[in-house]
């Protein structure tokens, strides 16, 4: 066998080894926990039976018990509100910033980098910083509002049941805007400038160019960004853990955090897994839509 053939075979063997390692990693750390989570959602598991190898199979009892709880519908509504408002404002503000930073002006790259710096900070750190900003007695935001005479009383952003969820949504919007801006900037930069120049020659104004050129050509990118945003928001756990712990009185609790509470605080592990399964199903649906939007973007 020639040296070239031996080198090719050795290269294939090395690539096979790398792929095998990656597959083993996915099976051990992704596929197995996912499948096991689905299995225990059909079993009766508590703190006492957790170590047993054989656990009682209860079918859909966990699902029925979960939806019989009085707090399930308020928490699901909080989840819908949390995801919807976060995505609407993250995408809208991110899109406006992406269009703004397409303009050429001194320092644009540095300012864009500052926006991205907030996104790479861990969620628990962001939550700790914003908890100090939103503190009712000594928070920076309340101090600014009273100093500017915009509020005469202290606002307890994180301990008032009427506004705690919206405070968490505000922080999540702040955290997600740079990611949306970055992805949408790539989509905007891919639009040929010749199209805008031709439209301007034909007499189309800025609004007409935005409505007839920018929005249609950004449709696939927007779909991908929205899909990713929904997936990331459904996985958002750090901010709620750092800011409110789902309180007060479950007013800022959402499905993903409630799953952790049931599993690791009250040890109702079967019902905690049930919530996770429902969230996973929703993530799978959104992921399918994301893959479809990506294909449309590539085809365009």
């Amino acid at each position: 066998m020639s040296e070239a053939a031996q080198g090719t075979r050795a290269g294939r063997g090395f690539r096979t080894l790398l792929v095998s390692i990656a597959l083993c990693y996915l099976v051990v750390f992704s596929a197995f926990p996912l499948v096991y989570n689905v299995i225990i959602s059909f079993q009766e598991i508590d703190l006492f039976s957790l170590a047993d190898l054989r656990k009682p199979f209860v079918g859909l009892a966990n699902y029925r018990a979960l939806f019989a709880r009085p707090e399930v519908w308020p928490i699901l509504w909080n989840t819908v509100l949390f995801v919807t408002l976060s995505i609407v404002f993250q995408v809208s503000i991110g899109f406006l910033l992406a269009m703004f930073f397409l303009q050429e002006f001194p320092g644009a790259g540095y300012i864009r980098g500052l926006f991205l710096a907030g996104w790479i900070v861990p969620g628990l750190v962001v939550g700790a910083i914003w908890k100090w900003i939103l503190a009712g007695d000594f928070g920076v935001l309340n101090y600014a509002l009273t100093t500017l005479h915009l509020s005469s009383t202290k606002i307890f952003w994180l301990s008032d049941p009427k506004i705690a969820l919206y405070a968490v949504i505000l922080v999540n919007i702040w955290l997600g805007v740079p990611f949306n801006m970055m992805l949408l900037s790539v989509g905007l930069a891919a639009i040929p400038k010749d199209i805008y120049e031709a439209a301007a020659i034909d007499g189309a104004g800025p609004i007409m160019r935005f409505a007839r050129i920018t929005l249609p050509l950004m449709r696939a990118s927007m779909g991908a960004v929205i899909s990713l945003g929904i997936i990331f928001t459904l996985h958002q756990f750090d901010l709620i853990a750092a800011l409110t712990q789902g309180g007060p009185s479950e007013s800022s609790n959402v499905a993903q955090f409630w799953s952790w509470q049931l599993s690791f605080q009250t040890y109702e592990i079967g019902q905690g897994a049930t919530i996770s399964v429902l969230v996973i199903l929703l993530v799978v649906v959104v992921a399918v839509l994301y893959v479809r939007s990506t294909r449309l973007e590539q085809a365009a």
Side-chain angles (χ1 to χ4, degrees):
M1 183 180 295
S2 65
E3 293 182 2
Q6 290 178 353
T8 301
R9 178 170 294 181
R12 290 177 180 174
F14 182 67
R15 289 194 293 268
T16 302
L17 176 63
L18 292 180
V19 172
S20 300
I21 293 174
L23 287 176
C24 290
Y25 177 85
L26 289 175
V27 169
V28 173
F29 294 102
S30 295
F32 174 73
L34 178 62
V35 173
Y36 186 65
N37 186 82
V38 174
I39 292 174
I40 64 178
S41 70
F42 297 102
Q43 296 177 330
E44 183 180 355
I45 304 178
D46 53 26
L47 184 60
F48 302 100
S49 62
L50 184 60
D52 296 339
L53 294 178
R54 299 185 62 181
K55 303 175 180 66
F57 178 79
V58 294
L60 296 176
N62 285 326
Y63 292 83
R64 290 193 294 267
L66 179 71
F67 283 97
R69 301 176 74 111
E71 66 268 35
V72 62
W73 296 113
I75 290 177
L76 290 179
W77 171 246
N78 287 347
T79 306
V80 172
L81 201 61
F82 180 68
V83 173
T84 303
L85 292 181
S86 295
I87 297 304
V88 167
F89 285 98
Q90 283 178 356
V91 174
S92 301
I93 299 173
F95 191 43
L96 292 175
L97 288 174
M99 294 186 64
F100 174 74
F101 283 114
L102 278 181
Q103 312 302 318
E104 296 181 359
F105 59 90
Y110 295 104
I111 300 174
R112 185 165 52 240
L114 289 175
F115 273 96
L116 293 175
W119 176 63
I120 64 176
V121 176
L124 284 174
V125 177
V126 172
I129 294 172
W130 274 93
K131 191 170 185 178
W132 170 63
I133 294 174
L134 298 174
D137 291 323
F138 53 85
V140 175
L141 183 56
N142 274 345
Y143 176 78
L145 292 176
T146 54
T147 302
L148 297 174
H149 302 289
L150 297 176
S151 177
S152 58
T153 59
K154 294 179 180 179
I155 302 175
F156 293 90
W157 302 96
L158 301 177
S159 57
D160 187 342
K162 296 180 180 179
I163 60 176
L165 177 63
Y166 298 99
V168 177
I169 292 173
L170 172 66
V171 179
N172 190 54
I173 292 171
W174 180 90
L175 184 61
V177 162
F179 177 76
N180 287 265
M181 179 192 69
M182 180 178 61
L183 294 184
L184 293 171
S185 295
V186 175
L188 288 171
I191 301 176
K193 294 183 179 180
D194 297 343
I195 301 178
Y196 291 107
E197 294 174 357
I201 293 174
D202 292 338
I207 298 178
M208 184 66 69
R209 293 197 296 269
F210 177 78
R212 298 295 179 87
I213 298 175
T214 305
L215 286 181
L217 293 179
M218 286 292 293
R219 188 175 303 164
S221 297
M222 292 283 283
V225 170
I226 291 172
S227 300
L228 282 175
I230 292 174
I231 293 172
F232 291 157
T233 305
L234 284 172
H235 286 167
Q236 185 55 260
F237 174 88
D238 297 349
L239 289 182
I240 299 168
L243 290 171
T244 64
Q245 293 281 315
S249 303
E250 308 290 350
S251 61
S252 64
N253 208 353
V254 292
Q256 57 268 33
F257 191 78
W258 191 34
S259 174
W260 176 83
Q261 286 180 317
L262 289 177
S263 298
F264 300 105
Q265 288 188 339
T266 61
Y267 299 104
E268 299 171 272
I269 299 173
Q271 293 187 33
T274 300
I275 302 174
S276 297
V277 170
L278 298 177
V279 173
I280 289 169
L281 289 176
L282 182 57
V283 168
V284 168
V285 172
V286 175
V288 170
L289 296 176
Y290 165 65
V291 172
R292 182 183 177 187
S293 65
T294 303
R295 290 178 178 175
L296 291 175
E297 185 178 9
Q298 294 174 349

